[in-house]
Amino acid sequence: MKQVSLKIVNITKIFKDFKNNEIRAVDNISFEIIPGEFVTLLGPSGCGKTTTLRMIAGFEKPTEGKIFINDINVVEIPPWKRDIAMVFQSYGLFPHMSVGENIAYGLKMRKIQKEESQKKVKEILRIVGLEGFEDRPPSSLSGGQQQRIALARALVIEPSVLLFDEPLSNLDALLREQMRIEIKRIQKEVGITAIYVTHDRTEALTLSDKIVLMKDGKIEQIGNPEDVYEKPVNKFVGEFMGKIFFFPIQVLDILEKETLVRLKDRVYKIPSLPTDKADNYVLGCRTEALKISSDGPIEGKIKTIVYLGESSEYYIDTEYGEIMIRVLSPFDKNLSEGKSVKIDLVPEIAKIIPD
Ligand SMILES: Nc1ncnc2c1ncn2[C@@H]1O[C@H](COP(=O)(O)OP(=O)(O)OP(=O)(O)O)[C@@H](O)[C@H]1O
Ligand SMILES: [Mg+2]
């Protein structure tokens, strides 16, 4: 498998509406993808994910900027010459052709011999886990199977880059989970460079080597899943990647490797430094960075306990709003609904974020 790198350099896409007003769909973004990497463009609806993907595919021309595939600027190269395949939300299979003919279609266009083509179809069906499905009509397949055929059809022409635009949104929750794992397995087995668009953070966390988190046409943060989840650079990223609670703090001192902060009457040593200069900071705590503790500085009252078997979720009213803390079973039966509790932080995994 040929593995390519991509470099997106300062691309901007401006659309015009009927009155010639500018719509800045993508606003001066840059990121790089190393060969064989799985990169996700993640962000809320309308943030410019699809537009970015379409510019990489060549369906849309950037208003400004460059797109390099292996150091060649492809901005002026038409889509069919970019050696890229794309998988969409709708599978787009031809209903009157068999599964085998659907997959072989791109090979036929490329004038590949029948024997060679049949061999490739067989091999790709094995990779997507649908060996022996050649003669089935697409309509007889389940949604997940159809999506695998769409993936097989994209892969069989051996493109250099595989693009996905929300490919799993039409599937039910369970199937989506299975296909997520399948897509990752197949991408790693084939070794292809992939870009995946989604607004689903769980999908991004499970699939990606690297996440590019976007908002309003701009990039908020680039990093591996752990970084983006554990070290959000701002409140938006923190909230987009999962449950997080913010506490107002005073930064007392920034040392070489740690920051001294004050929350109420308590001083904490946070083993990281603020990433950005700001007038005010908050402490961002995921639920795992909070614990019920008799000498914690935050006072609260247990509102609801949700029992989940291996753990329970405690919803606690505090002066900072409702906080959720997860407690592993077996839990202290004295901590019942209506009881007052104190809450402390786990400073090691709390994060200083500009307010
Ligand atoms: N052809 C177009 N003409 C005008 N505006 C457009 C066009 N295509 C996209 N836009 C606008 O550009 C912005 C980004 O759209 P885009 O489709 O890239 O978002 P997205 O992140 O893929 O969202 P979603 O998650 O809803 O698919 C939106 O405000 C959209 O309305
Ligand atoms: Mg989109």
Side-chain angles (χ1 to χ4, degrees):
M1 166 59 63
K2 40 195 172 169
Q3 285 194 324
V4 302
S5 63
L6 270 96
K7 207 158 36 170
I8 313 301
V9 186
N10 300 113
I11 54 167
T12 292
K13 179 70 191 182
I14 298 172
F15 292 110
K16 294 270 175 69
D17 71 6
F18 286 140
K19 291 197 169 148
N20 235 17
N21 297 312
E22 289 191 349
I23 302 157
R24 216 167 253 274
V26 175
D27 194 358
N28 192 21
I29 68 169
S30 302
F31 60 96
E32 287 183 37
I33 303 173
I34 62 172
E37 199 171 27
F38 195 116
V39 172
T40 301
L41 304 181
L42 173 68
S45 182
C47 72
K49 305 179 295 289
T50 296
T51 305
T52 303
L53 204 68
R54 288 173 56 79
M55 287 192 281
I56 294 169
F59 302 133
E60 213 75 75
K61 198 178 160 198
T63 313
E64 271 173 64
K66 293 177 180 147
I67 297 169
F68 294 96
I69 299 181
N70 270 353
D71 298 324
I72 296 166
N73 185 3
V74 297
V75 163
E76 300 296 336
I77 299 177
W80 61 92
K81 287 191 180 158
R82 290 194 190 187
D83 200 15
I84 283 176
M86 198 152 164
V87 180
F88 302 93
Q89 181 177 340
S90 59
Y91 323 120
L93 300 176
F94 305 120
H96 57 285
M97 290 184 190
S98 70
V99 162
E101 287 164 344
N102 261 284
I103 299 173
Y105 186 77
L107 298 171
K108 205 168 155 190
M109 292 293 108
R110 285 167 177 73
K111 309 228 175 335
I112 308 279
Q113 298 282 319
K114 189 145 189 212
E115 217 168 285
E116 170 76 9
S117 161
Q118 276 174 350
K119 219 171 87 189
K120 281 184 192 282
V121 170
K122 231 180 158 54
E123 168 64 7
I124 207 73
L125 277 172
R126 182 193 65 75
I127 290 176
V128 300
L130 293 177
E131 243 171 333
F133 272 61
E134 284 94 329
D135 297 325
R136 297 269 297 262
S139 58
S140 74
L141 305 184
S142 72
Q145 288 170 335
Q146 289 188 38
Q147 192 53 283
R148 277 173 216 238
I149 299 301
L151 184 56
R153 193 176 55 179
L155 283 171
V156 79
I157 56 166
E158 297 177 32
S160 301
V161 185
L162 188 56
L163 306 179
F164 297 91
D165 195 352
E166 313 248 6
L168 306 183
S169 352
N170 279 353
L171 306 177
D172 66 48
L174 186 64
L175 205 52
R176 210 150 57 210
E177 216 166 286
Q178 291 169 352
M179 277 302 287
R180 229 159 41 210
I181 299 164
E182 271 296 277
I183 286 180
K184 177 138 182 160
R185 179 189 67 72
I186 293 164
Q187 184 263 343
K188 288 296 170 219
E189 177 171 347
V190 179
I192 192 170
T193 306
I195 309 176
Y196 188 101
V197 161
T198 182
H199 60 262
D200 179 336
R201 69 185 164 90
T202 314
E203 246 173 52
L205 286 172
T206 42
L207 280 166
S208 322
D209 296 317
K210 187 152 87 195
I211 294 174
V212 176
L213 183 44
M214 298 177 66
K215 181 192 168 200
D216 297 336
K218 298 194 182 68
I219 294 176
E220 296 286 316
Q221 186 167 357
I222 301 178
N224 63 33
E226 292 85 351
D227 277 349
V228 180
Y229 178 81
E230 290 167 18
K231 299 174 191 146
V233 296
N234 57 38
K235 288 169 106 175
F236 171 80
V237 175
E239 286 182 319
F240 197 83
M241 296 312 296
K243 240 190 194 358
I244 191 165
F245 306 98
F246 300 114
F247 302 98
I249 48 163
Q250 190 190 350
V251 172
L252 301 175
D253 203 0
I254 299 175
L255 306 171
E256 202 178 323
K257 284 187 181 140
E258 57 193 20
T259 310
L260 290 184
V261 307
R262 188 203 300 278
L263 170 67
K264 297 182 82 171
D265 63 349
R266 205 65 61 91
V267 174
Y268 291 96
K269 259 192 221 164
I270 308 294
S272 65
L273 307 178
T275 46
D276 274 318
K277 276 225 172 316
D279 294 334
N280 289 302
Y281 294 95
V282 292
L283 209 52
C285 295
R286 297 262 177 229
T287 170
E288 54 271 25
L290 296 168
K291 59 182 182 195
I292 296 172
S293 164
S294 54
D295 62 351
I298 303 164
E299 291 173 11
K301 196 177 208 177
I302 301 174
K303 202 166 76 181
T304 316
I305 301 175
V306 179
Y307 181 66
L308 297 170
E310 76 275 20
S311 67
S312 296
E313 290 176 352
Y314 284 66
Y315 291 85
I316 303 169
D317 272 335
T318 75
E319 60 195 292
Y320 303 111
E322 188 187 79
I323 283 173
M324 191 269 276
I325 297 183
R326 208 165 272 132
V327 182
L328 289 181
S329 294
F331 56 88
D332 183 352
K333 294 283 186 290
N334 291 320
L335 293 177
S336 52
E337 289 175 0
K339 281 267 169 72
S340 292
V341 286
K342 287 186 170 156
I343 298 165
D344 203 355
L345 317 174
V346 185
E348 291 75 25
I349 52 173
K351 181 83 178 97
I352 302 160
I353 298 172
D355 191 9

